Amino acid sequence: MQGAHVLWFEALGRGDVGRVGGKNASLGEMVSGLAAAGVRVPSGFATTAEAYWGFLDANDLRPVIGRALDDLAAGKASLADTGAAVRAAMLRGDWPDETAEAIRAAYRELCRRAGRADADVAVRSSATAEDLPDASFAGQQETFLNIRGEGALLEACRRCYASLFTDRAIAYRQAKGFDHTKVALSVGVQLMVRSDVGGAGVMFSIDTESGFDKVVLINAAWGLGENVVQGAVNPDEYAVFKPFLDDERLTPIVEKTLGGKDKKMIYATGEARPTRNVPTSAAEREAFVLNDEEILQLARWACVIERHYGRPMDMEWAKDGETGELSIVQARPETVQSRRTSAMLRSYRIKSKGRRLVAGMSIGDAVVSGRVCLIDSPREIDRFVPGSVLVTRTTDPDWVPVMKQAAAIVTDEGGRTSHAAIVSRELGLPAVVGAGDATRVLHGEQEVTVSCAEGEEGFVYEGIAEVECRDLDVASAPDTRTKVMLNMANPAAAARWWRMPADGVGLARMEFVISNHIKIHPMALVKFDALKDAEAKAKIAALTRGYARDRTEYFVDRLARGLAQIAAASHPDPVIVRMSDFKTNEYAGLLGGAEFEPEEENPMLGFRGASRYYSPRYRDGFALECAAIRRLRRDMGFSNVVVMIPFCRTLAEADRVLEVMAQNGLRRGQDGLDVYVMCEIPANVILARGFAERFDGFSIGSNDLTQLTLGVDRDSAELAELFDEQDEAVKWMIRRVIAEAHAAGAKVGLCGQAPSDHPEFAEFLVDCGIDSISVSPDSFLAVKAKVAEREAAMAGAA
C-alpha cells in the first residue's frame, strides 16, 4: 500500500501536482528529468494527497474544517480563531496505521540509501494548489529542518498538515480564489544537505526587479537557507549573464555584492528545536559564500532547469560544507516578472527631495510618499494605518495581511529574495529591504518618500518629494536609419531599460561607476602603503576588505562588473564606454584623491581627459581602467564594448594615448576593439581627417563643443542665454565633422541633451546624415519618433 500513501521523487513528474503538490512534483521532475544533465537533487519521497484525505477522514476532520470556514465566511469567527481551531484539531489527529507504516518504511529506505541510521531530513509542505505559474504561495506552509527518527518525522508531517491552515495560508487562498476544501497537502521528505556547515540560498533565472531575462540572480548566506528565504539576513548577491555560460573560457559574473550575513542557522543538539541561529564570525562576514566556479555552476543549472520547464524559475540551492557539493533543493515557477507582458514602462523622475534618511536594496521601480507606520510584530497589525509606509525589522508570511494595506515597505533586514521582497513584488509595492537601521532612524507618522526608481539601491527621503511620472510605450517606437542609443551612467539602472528598443549605449560614463561604486581614487590604491591621510586610509581599508593582498584588484573588479551590467543590458548592441573624464577637483573628492591632484584655477580646461592617461601623475591609474576594460571584453565576453577617449586635444596626444592603451592590453583593432574619440574641442573638427585616421569613430559632446566654440562657460548663470547648442557656429562645427568623418570612413554620433530638449536639433542632425544620436532613456521615444518623422520627410522629398 506504500504507493497509495508515499511516492519516491524519481517516480514523480510535473504532471503529479494533484497527487503531491507543486513543490514535490517539481522535485520529482528534476530527479527524473535532469539528473542526466548533471543537476544534483537530494533523494527523497512525498506523501500523497490520498494520504492527506485519509488522515482527515480517519479523524473525522472534514466537518470540523467545514464548520470553521463557514463561520469565518459568515463573520462569526476571526481569521486567527479559525486558523487556531483547525490547526489544533489536526494536531490532535492520529495517523492511520497504513499511512504511518508507509512513511516509516520509506524513511528506513531513505536511511539505507544515505548509508546512515536516523538520517537527517528536511520536511516540507507542498500544497496541491502551490507553486502554480500564477500563484507563488511563497512561505504559506511550514518547513522543518534536521528532523531525525521515525517518531520525529511523523510529528513533523502532522505539523505540516496543520500548517495548511495557518492564518496566512487561509488568507492567501482566499485572495487567490482557491477553495480550501479542495486543496490537499503533500509532505516532501528529503535528505538534508549539510549546508549548516556550508551555505545556502535562493536563485532566480530572471532579474527579479526589471524582468531582464538574460541574467541569473543568486543570493547566498552561511548556514541553512531558511534565513535567506525569510529575509533574516542580508545575503551576498551575484548576477550572471546567461548567454555566455556555454563558453567555459568566460566568467560572465556581472555582479558580486558582499552581504552582511550577521548570523547563520545551524543544527541544534540536545535542544527542543532542531535548528538555531548563531552569530557568524568576522571572517565569514568578510568572505563570499561562493567562489566563481560555484557561482557559474549554479547559474548553468538554473539555465538547464529553465529550459526544461520552459519558463523563468525560482530555485533554492544548498552547498554541503562536508563534501563541497552543490545541490538544488527546490524549484518553482517565477510568478511576478515572467507574467509582465505590457510594453508600457513607467518612468519616475524626482524633481526635488528632502534629506536622505536610509538606504537599502530597491524592490520595484516606483516612488511613493506617505507617513511612516512603525510595527514591531504582526501582533500589532491592528495599529497599522492603511496607506502608510510600513517600517519593520523583517517580515514573514504572517505579515501579508498588513503588507497588502501598505503604500510601501521598508525593512532593516533581507535581500532581493527575502519574503518582504517577494511579496512586495507580487503586490506591486515599492520596498527598500536590508536598510540596516530604518527602525531606529525613522519614526511613526513621519512624512517620507520611498524611492525605488534610482537603480538597485533604494532610498527613503525626508518629506514629500516632487515627482514626475511618465508612461512610455516601447511598442510604439518606429524603425529608423539613424541609430538612437541611450546615455547610461548607473549600472544598477541599466537592466530597467532592457525592453527599450535602443540601438545600444552611445555613452556609458565610467566616472559614475568610479564615484558611486568604487569611491576611491585609483592612485590611492596603487600607492596605498604611502598614503598620508590616516582617516582616508582607514576608510579605504574598510571598503577594500577582501582585497588586502592587492587593493588595486578592488578597483579593477568593481569597475569591470559595474560596466558589465550596462554591457549586458544592451548586448549584443554596442556599448561605448568613455574612459574616466573627471576634472581634478572631482578626482580630489574621491577617497585618498587629494594627495594626487593639483589645484587648478580652471579644471574644465585643465588636467583632464586624454592628458591624464600618459602622465606620470595618473598613468598607473589609467592602467587600472584599461585592466577593467580588458577583463570586461576578454574574460567576461563583452566584445560589444567600444572604448572612447575624452578631451583629446592634439593628434600627438592621440598617438600617445593609443600607445599607452596598447601597452596595457588594449590595442585598437585587436580582437575587434574599436576606439572612438569625443569630439568636443574645435581642434577635433579642424583636424577631423587626422583624428579619423587614429580612431574608428567620433562622438560629439555638444556641451563642451558649444562652450569652446562660443567661448562661454557653460556653468555661468550670467552667460546662460549665450550658451546655445543651436548657434550657427556650433552647427557649422557639427556639420563639418560629420562630413569629414564620413569622408574618412569613420562613424559619428552625438551624445547630449539637445536632441531631447529641441526637436528641431534632432532634425538638423538627421539632415546632416549623422549615424547615431544618444539620449537619456526617458527622452528616447520622443527623439526616436522625431528622427523617424524627419527621415520620412526626407524620403518623400527625394
Side-chain angles (χ1 to χ4, degrees):
M1 288 295 291
Q2 192 179 87
H5 303 285
V6 169
L7 292 169
W8 289 92
F9 287 163
E10 57 263 33
L12 297 171
R14 69 177 100 179
D16 292 309
V17 173
R19 295 197 73 189
V20 295
K23 194 175 296 179
N24 288 333
S26 181
L27 284 169
E29 180 73 22
M30 288 193 293
V31 169
S32 60
L34 296 177
V39 179
R40 188 180 297 110
V41 180
S43 183
F45 62 88
T47 66
T48 63
E50 294 97 313
Y52 171 78
W53 297 124
F55 179 88
L56 294 192
D57 291 339
N59 293 281
D60 200 26
L61 289 171
R62 293 202 206 211
V64 174
I65 295 170
R67 285 194 296 271
L69 293 173
D70 287 344
D71 286 347
L72 174 64
K76 297 178 181 178
S78 68
L79 175 62
D81 289 342
T82 300
V86 175
R87 292 193 300 274
M90 297 188 81
L91 290 172
R92 288 193 299 269
D94 295 320
W95 285 104
D97 291 341
E98 286 185 353
T99 306
E101 181 50 36
I103 294 172
R104 290 192 191 100
Y107 178 66
R108 288 193 292 269
E109 171 60 16
L110 192 59
C111 292
R112 188 194 67 77
R113 294 184 182 187
R116 59 186 186 271
D118 286 347
D120 48 324
V121 294
V123 181
R124 294 186 173 93
S125 307
S126 179
T128 57
E130 185 180 34
D131 295 336
L132 302 179
D134 61 346
S136 74
F137 280 73
Q140 298 306 310
Q141 283 83 45
E142 298 291 353
T143 292
F144 303 98
L145 304 177
N146 188 27
I147 302 301
R148 300 169 185 263
E150 296 176 11
L153 174 58
L154 287 170
E155 178 58 26
C157 290
R158 183 165 25 227
R159 291 169 67 188
C160 283
Y161 279 0
S163 75
L164 188 59
F165 290 93
T166 59
D167 299 353
R168 59 188 182 253
I170 295 171
Y172 202 88
R173 284 195 296 274
Q174 285 178 324
K176 292 293 183 180
F178 289 97
D179 185 338
H180 300 286
T181 63
K182 293 182 180 178
V183 176
L185 194 125
S186 165
V187 179
V189 180
Q190 186 177 39
L191 286 173
M192 286 286 293
V193 176
R194 288 303 304 272
S195 59
D196 60 306
V197 290
V202 177
M203 174 167 65
F204 287 85
S205 65
I206 189 172
D207 179 38
T208 52
E209 302 315 311
S210 67
F212 184 42
D213 58 3
K214 292 182 181 178
V215 293
V216 173
L217 182 70
I218 304 171
N219 277 190
W222 300 112
L224 300 171
E226 287 302 292
N227 279 340
V228 178
V229 174
Q230 294 168 4
V233 294
N234 295 333
D236 295 343
E237 183 166 302
Y238 319 112
V240 184
F241 189 57
K242 294 185 327 194
F244 294 164
L245 282 170
D246 289 338
D247 189 340
E248 294 191 357
R249 298 170 300 175
L250 302 178
T251 309
I253 303 171
V254 300
E255 182 182 357
K256 282 179 72 173
T257 302
L258 191 67
K261 308 184 299 291
D262 60 341
K263 59 187 172 184
K264 63 180 178 179
M265 186 177 288
I266 63 171
Y267 284 7
T269 54
E271 300 178 26
R273 295 180 63 85
T275 60
R276 65 190 179 101
N277 272 313
V278 297
T280 49
S281 67
E284 288 173 320
R285 291 192 294 275
E286 294 178 5
F288 286 109
V289 174
L290 297 173
N291 60 37
D292 286 0
E293 185 178 339
E294 292 164 338
I295 294 168
L296 294 174
Q297 179 64 74
L298 284 174
R300 290 188 178 105
W301 282 355
C303 293
V304 169
I305 294 168
E306 181 182 61
R307 282 195 295 270
H308 183 80
Y309 282 87
R311 57 169 59 98
M313 297 295 287
D314 167 2
M315 295 145 281
E316 294 181 27
W317 61 270
K319 178 184 175 181
D320 193 308
E322 294 181 342
T323 66
E325 291 183 338
L326 295 166
S327 296
I328 301 295
V329 296
Q330 285 195 53
R332 50 189 167 260
E334 194 277 340
T335 59
V336 179
Q337 289 294 346
S338 57
R339 297 177 64 208
R340 289 180 64 174
T341 58
S342 173
M344 296 295 293
L345 290 176
R346 178 158 288 183
S347 171
Y348 293 85
R349 185 168 71 91
I350 301 178
K351 300 173 74 172
S352 65
K353 61 194 176 191
R355 179 171 56 96
R356 182 193 298 179
L357 301 174
V358 297
M361 292 186 185
S362 170
I363 306 301
D365 55 10
V367 180
V368 168
S369 296
R371 289 188 175 180
V372 168
C373 192
L374 196 62
I375 301 287
D376 293 327
S377 158
R379 293 188 298 273
E380 301 177 354
I381 283 176
D382 291 343
R383 287 203 304 107
F384 188 75
V385 179
S388 297
V389 175
L390 172 63
V391 178
T392 187
R393 186 180 61 81
T394 188
T395 70
D396 61 32
D398 289 326
W399 287 83
V400 172
V402 71
M403 295 171 79
K404 290 179 177 178
Q405 303 175 56
I409 296 167
V410 181
T411 66
D412 287 343
E413 298 176 354
R416 294 191 192 284
T417 54
S418 65
H419 176 268
I422 290 170
V423 174
S424 294
R425 287 187 203 101
E426 195 163 289
L427 296 174
L429 298 176
V432 177
V433 301
D437 57 358
T439 55
R440 183 178 63 84
V441 173
L442 305 177
H443 61 80
E445 299 189 16
Q446 180 180 16
E447 289 189 333
V448 297
T449 297
V450 177
S451 172
C452 295
E454 300 172 66
E456 286 185 347
E457 198 170 10
F459 306 103
V460 179
Y461 297 110
E462 189 173 50
I464 307 298
E466 183 183 358
V467 180
E468 179 182 84
C469 177
R470 296 174 58 200
D471 287 327
L472 308 174
D473 182 5
V474 298
S476 68
D479 291 330
T480 58
R481 178 202 63 80
T482 307
K483 295 184 182 302
V484 182
M485 308 172 80
L486 300 180
N487 294 333
M488 199 69 65
N490 186 355
R496 183 177 172 216
W497 303 104
W498 73 276
R499 288 185 175 91
M500 195 73 82
D503 296 303
V505 174
L507 174 61
R509 299 181 178 93
M510 180 183 285
E511 57 271 12
F512 183 95
V513 182
I514 295 173
S515 61
N516 289 274
H517 292 258
I518 297 173
K519 303 178 182 179
I520 303 170
H521 195 291
M523 293 302 296
L525 295 169
V526 172
K527 299 183 179 297
F528 176 77
D529 292 338
L531 285 178
K532 299 173 185 175
D533 186 336
E535 183 180 352
K537 192 171 186 178
K539 289 180 179 178
I540 292 170
L543 279 175
T544 57
R545 70 188 191 278
Y547 296 87
R549 289 186 178 180
D550 181 5
R551 296 187 194 275
T552 62
E553 173 61 17
Y554 168 83
F555 185 94
V556 175
D557 186 45
R558 290 185 70 84
L559 181 56
R561 295 193 202 283
L563 294 172
Q565 292 173 57
I566 297 175
S570 292
H571 186 270
D573 291 321
V575 172
I576 302 172
V577 176
R578 184 176 68 190
M579 305 303 274
S580 67
D581 191 27
F582 285 122
K583 286 73 175 175
T584 49
N585 58 318
E586 295 168 336
Y587 268 114
L590 296 171
L591 277 172
E595 294 184 31
F596 300 97
E597 297 298 329
E599 290 190 15
E600 296 184 305
E601 289 293 327
N602 189 354
M604 187 76 75
L605 295 178
F607 185 47
R608 63 173 286 201
S611 62
R612 298 181 65 91
Y613 304 158
Y614 55 85
S615 166
R617 274 185 177 271
Y618 189 74
R619 185 172 180 142
D620 290 343
F622 183 63
L624 300 184
E625 296 182 25
C626 291
I629 295 293
R630 192 171 65 249
R631 181 174 300 178
L632 178 64
R633 287 177 51 86
R634 184 189 65 191
D635 299 344
M636 293 184 176
F638 291 103
S639 56
N640 60 320
V641 167
V642 176
V643 171
M644 184 158 65
I645 304 301
F647 223 75
C648 187
R649 295 171 168 94
T650 69
L651 297 178
E653 185 167 74
D655 292 334
R656 296 182 73 175
V657 169
L658 290 170
E659 181 183 354
V660 172
M661 287 177 60
Q663 291 169 358
N664 285 290
L666 295 179
R667 186 178 297 277
R668 179 190 170 208
Q670 187 172 314
D671 298 323
L673 175 64
D674 282 349
V675 182
Y676 283 23
V677 65
M678 289 289 292
C679 176
E680 49 195 343
I681 304 168
N684 302 141
V685 179
I686 296 166
L687 299 177
R689 292 289 181 103
F691 280 103
E693 292 173 2
R694 291 160 172 80
F695 296 100
D696 299 287
F698 296 81
S699 182
I700 301 167
S702 56
N703 285 339
D704 271 338
L705 186 60
T706 300
Q707 174 175 245
L708 297 176
T709 299
L710 300 180
V712 174
D713 181 351
R714 72 189 198 194
D715 294 329
S716 170
E718 293 295 326
L719 301 177
E721 65 180 37
L722 294 176
F723 186 87
D724 183 6
E725 291 161 303
Q726 297 192 82
D727 185 275
E728 283 304 315
V730 179
K731 291 169 73 173
W732 184 92
M733 288 281 188
I734 292 172
R735 193 181 297 111
R736 174 68 180 268
V737 76
I738 292 173
E740 292 289 298
H742 285 169
K747 297 177 181 177
V748 59
L750 180 140
C751 53
Q753 190 61 26
S756 306
D757 295 340
H758 307 290
E760 66 275 16
F761 191 70
E763 294 177 357
F764 161 73
L765 295 173
V766 173
D767 291 345
C768 291
I770 200 163
D771 296 298
S772 64
I773 300 172
S774 187
V775 298
S776 60
D778 58 354
S779 303
F780 173 84
L781 291 175
V783 172
K784 185 80 166 171
K786 182 55 64 176
V787 168
E789 182 182 314
R790 189 59 178 178
E791 288 181 354
M794 291 173 66

